[in-house]
Amino acid sequence: MAISKINFNSRELVTTPAFQAKPTNDQNNITADSLTDIVLDDERFDINGDFASNTFTAPLTGKYLLTASIRLHDIDSAGSYIYIYLATSNQNYQNIHSSNRYSGDLSYHTLTITAVADMDANDTVKMKLYFSSDSANQVDVDNGGTHFSGCLLA
């Protein structure tokens, strides 16, 4: 799919691939030591229709701005670390947070990540979460503060 251009009296308007999605419901009991896809089943917008099944597929080769925020709740302080993960076809991006530095369990905590990713046409990106622990702990994803968005920059 190409970027469409419309000329109105020498003013050029460009339609750029862009999306924003969030979960409809909480994603509960994500188990430790597994890379988990975040369910993003509520599209706030999806220009060009390139977001489906928790995955954005780049329609064009270019540089894409990707941003994600994940709000976690019921975080077990016995866990080692948590990271938010953007998995692209070319490279993976992550933001890690130590969850064992607190004296008790956390009610809520938000992790964010931003990347400018070099993507080829038909490359994909997904938002994931990893929670590491030495015991059988779990963490929950809160739908209220979790979202994933992206757009073509250049």
Side-chain angles (χ1 to χ4, degrees):
M1 164 148 241
I3 296 176
S4 61
K5 296 181 181 181
I6 305 168
N7 190 316
F8 292 107
N9 300 325
S10 299
R11 293 184 71 193
E12 200 171 76
L13 301 177
V14 178
T15 302
T16 303
F19 71 94
Q20 185 178 70
K22 68 177 214 65
T24 301
N25 299 303
D26 290 356
Q27 193 169 342
N28 294 321
N29 302 319
I30 293 175
T31 57
D33 302 319
S34 64
L35 192 58
T36 302
D37 290 351
I38 301 304
V39 175
L40 302 160
D41 55 352
D42 181 9
E43 294 177 16
R44 291 184 177 167
F45 59 88
D46 184 9
I47 299 170
N48 293 329
D50 302 310
F51 189 88
S53 302
N54 308 318
T55 304
F56 173 72
T57 302
L60 302 167
T61 296
K63 309 301 184 248
Y64 287 81
L65 174 64
L66 303 171
T67 64
S69 176
I70 188 166
R71 185 167 68 194
L72 306 171
H73 60 88
D74 298 328
I75 303 164
D76 195 326
S77 63
S80 301
Y81 59 89
I82 303 168
Y83 66 78
I84 184 173
Y85 192 89
L86 295 179
T88 74
S89 301
N90 294 329
Q91 182 170 339
N92 298 317
Y93 304 88
Q94 64 186 5
N95 184 4
I96 193 166
H97 177 77
S98 174
S99 56
N100 62 0
R101 66 182 182 171
Y102 303 104
S103 60
D105 294 352
L106 293 177
S107 296
Y108 291 96
H109 189 75
T110 301
L111 297 173
T112 61
I113 188 167
T114 301
V116 176
D118 183 16
M119 297 180 75
D120 299 319
N122 297 314
D123 280 355
T124 60
V125 60
K126 293 180 103 170
M127 179 179 171
K128 298 177 180 255
L129 178 75
Y130 186 85
F131 174 61
S132 176
S133 178
D134 294 331
S135 59
N137 298 315
Q138 55 83 35
V139 67
D140 299 333
V141 174
D142 187 86
N143 71 321
T146 299
H147 56 86
F148 178 34
S149 59
C151 66
L152 177 65
L153 287 177

